[in-house]
Amino acid sequence: MSLATLATMQDEVKALARERDAVILAHNYQVPEVQDVADYVGDSLGLSRQAAATQASAIVFCGVHFMAETAAILSPDKTVLIPDLDAGCSLAASITADQLRAWKAENPDAVVVSYVNTTADVKAETDYCCTSGNAKAVIEAIPADREILFLPDLYLGLWLERVTGRRLKIWMGECHVHAGIRPADIVRWQEEAPDAEFLVHPECGCASQCMAFGNERTHILSTEGMVKFAKSSPKNRFLVATEVGILHRLAKEAPGKRFEPVSEEALCRYMKMITLEKLRDSLRDWKHVVAVEPETAARARLAIERMVAIA
Ligand code: SF4
């Protein structure tokens, strides 16, 4: 697409959003041209807060399906659209509500903490949701004598055990994108880029090892935490271990600094299913509506509201 065509389509998207009274929310992993037309770009926690607070009558969610479901649960009186219904998540698909019910039956006294990357049906079986931005605070808010079932991300769970000192029962799920970033990637860069700071997402396959073997240049952060860190750091070079879409936002918000991916292959094909063209079609043709069955939504809402409330 030429730059002129791109600019015309971005104008079209903004005009349609105004006409339809829709707010455009985009995840940090979205393609740059979608991020650039969004009213708000952020991580799951920030986007959930925006979805809960918006005055617009509709939300177009440029992210993956569980995120649009979360917006629909938080704003049941608004229409929530996703530009491509096939934008799923390998991590959310790693546990079903039936599997969680069986796990709870084996551990009847445990508190269930679910990472936000789960379906609405799984959230409905959950006590607390969390994101990587507030997972530590959520675990610390639970009385120390309570057993915790943490799901579905293995690496985030291992990292939480280290930073909170709590023993967790952890579901063995993983995100194929983050699990693919291995300790060897970090070790190689630590040698090859002695002037760089390492920003590592806790979902990564290397995160728990980074906690053990990383150095003072290694920082385990949510994507929002990466943006804040890069903006305020006096350093100029950063190596980033998460989905590569975040590089666009980092470069925009911390201009003049150098950002490089630890792995060029850390690319989420689900996030990249959302294109500017599909976003335009979504607003123009009012598709695809994401709705959550009211009883499931009511049960899931409590867990999500606890997540949104904990900083
Ligand atoms: S990057 Fe991983 S966790 Fe995030 S949406 Fe893609 S598959 Fe899911």
Side-chain angles (χ1 to χ4, degrees):
M1 198 187 289
S2 72
L3 282 178
T5 312
L6 188 74
T8 304
M9 197 178 287
Q10 285 178 322
D11 288 345
E12 194 184 352
V13 165
K14 286 181 196 161
L16 279 166
R18 272 197 304 276
E19 196 181 300
R20 298 282 199 155
D21 190 26
V23 65
I24 302 172
L25 304 183
H27 192 269
N28 286 325
Y29 300 159
Q30 290 291 293
V31 292
E33 59 271 25
V34 167
Q35 290 192 31
D36 291 344
V37 289
D39 296 293
Y40 181 84
V41 182
D43 65 0
S44 299
L45 183 60
L47 293 173
S48 299
R49 288 191 169 130
Q50 291 292 324
T54 183
Q55 298 299 312
S57 49
I59 297 166
V60 188
F61 212 107
C62 299
V64 295
H65 193 267
F66 76 82
M67 297 178 178
E69 271 188 341
T70 304
I73 291 165
L74 286 169
S75 295
D77 54 332
K78 299 186 195 311
T79 303
V80 176
L81 303 173
I82 188 166
D84 189 328
L85 269 178
D86 289 331
C89 168
S90 59
L91 181 55
S94 69
I95 185 165
T96 64
D98 280 345
Q99 287 173 312
L100 177 52
R101 279 189 283 271
W103 201 26
K104 284 167 67 173
E106 289 164 16
N107 300 277
D109 298 324
V111 176
V112 177
V113 179
S114 293
Y115 192 33
V116 71
N117 297 38
T118 44
T119 62
D121 289 336
V122 166
K123 288 186 177 80
E125 296 291 334
T126 291
D127 297 304
Y128 290 83
C129 280
C130 70
T131 70
S132 51
N134 72 352
K136 179 172 176 280
V138 168
I139 297 292
E140 286 169 348
I142 297 168
D145 59 342
R146 297 295 305 273
E147 190 172 46
I148 297 174
L149 302 183
F150 181 82
L151 64 111
D153 191 75
L154 161 66
Y155 298 107
L156 181 59
L158 291 172
W159 175 73
L160 285 168
E161 282 195 327
R162 283 187 176 273
V163 293
T164 64
R166 295 278 291 265
R167 285 292 303 278
L168 309 174
K169 290 197 168 171
I170 301 170
W171 190 259
M172 293 289 121
E174 63 178 28
C175 152
H176 67 293
V177 179
H178 287 93
I181 302 175
R182 305 305 309 169
D185 292 319
I186 299 289
V187 170
R188 176 167 52 86
W189 279 109
Q190 277 171 344
E191 287 164 12
E192 290 178 12
D195 57 331
E197 298 291 299
F198 295 87
L199 311 182
V200 180
H201 194 279
E203 267 177 44
C204 288
C206 59
S208 45
Q209 288 93 335
C210 279
M211 286 289 293
F213 307 116
N215 56 25
E216 67 288 348
R217 294 187 287 129
T218 312
H219 312 277
I220 316 282
L221 297 163
S222 66
T223 50
E224 211 53 43
M226 290 180 185
V227 174
K228 280 193 195 127
F229 183 89
K231 281 167 83 171
S232 62
S233 170
K235 301 291 175 55
N236 281 314
R237 186 179 183 194
F238 302 87
L239 284 160
V240 181
T242 189
E243 212 273 355
V244 294
I246 188 68
L247 296 170
H248 178 68
R249 185 160 168 228
L250 285 165
K252 239 174 129 170
E253 297 214 16
K257 297 190 176 184
R258 182 175 164 194
F259 299 98
E260 297 153 83
V262 163
S263 167
E264 298 271 5
E265 286 160 22
L267 202 133
C268 177
R269 68 187 174 87
Y270 301 112
M271 285 284 181
K272 279 14 181 199
M273 283 179 181
I274 310 295
T275 62
L276 189 63
E277 203 169 2
K278 287 182 194 170
L279 170 57
R280 188 268 319 270
D281 295 351
S282 176
L283 279 160
R284 188 190 59 198
D285 305 334
W286 217 234
K287 63 179 185 184
H288 304 272
V289 175
V290 175
V292 178
E293 191 267 318
E295 198 192 317
T296 304
R299 290 168 59 212
R301 191 171 299 119
L302 191 59
I304 298 170
E305 284 175 349
R306 285 177 178 155
M307 169 188 88
V308 173
I310 296 177

